[in-house]
Amino acid sequence: MYRVFCFTIMENILKKYEYIILFSVLGIGLLLRLAAVIHGLPYALFGDELVQVAAGFSLLAEKTLRANFAFYYLPPLFSYLLAPSFGIIGLGGLLTGFFHSLVDFQNYVFLHKEHFLIVGRVFSALFGVGTIFILHHFAKRAFGVPVALLASFIMAFDFLHLHESQVGRFWTPAVFFIVGAMYSMWRLVEEPTRKWYLLAALSLGLGFGM
């Protein structure tokens, strides 16, 4: 009886401060994932990172949407995210005078392409935090607030997820879409509407695209 009483009090406290705790965990998780954003630069220590960056710039240089380059052996979605980001960086550099011309930007990319690994790492960190957020909602719906907060905390500090979220490879975005698909399919069972069917299918497709 005493244990039940203590658990009830704890559950009520967690429910009251649920989103304060959650966003604190998300904030700490984001800071940890961005902590290594310049790790190893200017060296490319993780092979897939540079492949994604090279494909993103190749999409821009060749003005194509087909990432079927000879050097590219990965699904192309991450590079499709990077390409417009690189374009925005180049445009911003031209408008602010950091780059004097498009050729100047191209030369900078050629000489310092490893610096653009930062963009992929930021994307990866954001996808990692997004996974924690979706996992919280998934666990909350299935098991309640205490389990949801515990799951969020564990995922935020999980070594493998944290490590991959610091690196601009496709693993973390792929996990984000997989968890999103699982959550959408759970909701589809509860509420069989077109919305959840489409979200589940979209998440599965994007996960495969990663």
Side-chain angles (χ1 to χ4, degrees):
M1 187 70 181
Y2 176 73
R3 290 182 179 178
V4 174
F5 178 71
C6 290
F7 181 80
T8 303
I9 292 177
M10 182 188 72
E11 187 174 23
N12 289 334
I13 292 173
L14 290 176
K15 284 182 178 178
K16 183 177 180 180
Y17 297 104
E18 175 189 359
Y19 284 99
I20 294 176
I21 297 171
L22 174 61
F23 285 107
S24 297
V25 170
L26 292 176
I28 294 170
L30 180 61
L31 290 175
L32 289 173
R33 282 155 177 77
L34 292 174
V37 74
I38 60 172
H39 174 67
L41 300 182
Y43 302 103
L45 302 178
F46 305 96
D48 290 355
E49 280 192 304
L50 199 55
V51 173
Q52 306 278 16
V53 169
F57 277 116
S58 296
L59 289 169
L60 286 177
E62 299 188 18
K63 299 180 180 62
T64 181
L65 292 177
R66 298 184 62 189
N68 60 343
F69 314 113
F71 65 85
Y72 202 53
Y73 54 90
L74 298 165
L77 184 54
F78 206 156
S79 293
Y80 288 149
L81 293 176
L82 292 176
S85 303
F86 296 153
I88 291 170
I89 290 171
L91 180 61
L94 290 171
L95 292 176
T96 58
F98 186 82
F99 304 120
H100 300 296
S101 65
L102 184 58
V103 173
D104 191 25
F105 176 55
Q106 291 172 333
N107 289 335
Y108 183 88
V109 172
F110 181 75
L111 294 173
H112 305 287
K113 57 184 178 297
E114 291 83 4
H115 292 174
F116 291 90
L117 296 175
I118 293 173
V119 180
R121 293 178 181 183
V122 171
F123 269 114
S124 191
L126 293 174
F127 275 115
V129 172
T131 302
I132 299 170
F133 185 77
I134 296 176
L135 180 65
H136 169 269
H137 280 60
F138 192 1
K140 178 181 177 180
R141 201 160 193 91
F143 305 108
V145 173
V147 174
L149 291 174
L150 179 61
S152 304
F153 183 84
I154 291 173
M155 180 63 96
F157 294 96
D158 177 75
F159 172 78
L160 186 57
H161 189 263
L162 178 57
H163 176 270
E164 287 302 322
S165 297
Q166 293 175 334
V167 181
R169 299 191 289 187
F170 71 89
W171 295 105
T172 304
V175 170
F176 170 83
F177 289 119
I178 290 169
V179 174
M182 292 171 64
Y183 176 68
S184 298
M185 287 187 285
W186 179 279
R187 294 300 308 271
L188 182 60
V189 172
E190 293 182 332
E191 183 186 336
T193 59
R194 182 178 299 175
K195 169 188 172 181
W196 294 113
Y197 178 83
L198 291 175
L199 283 174
L202 181 63
S203 297
L204 287 170
L206 293 174
F208 181 77
M210 274 294 173

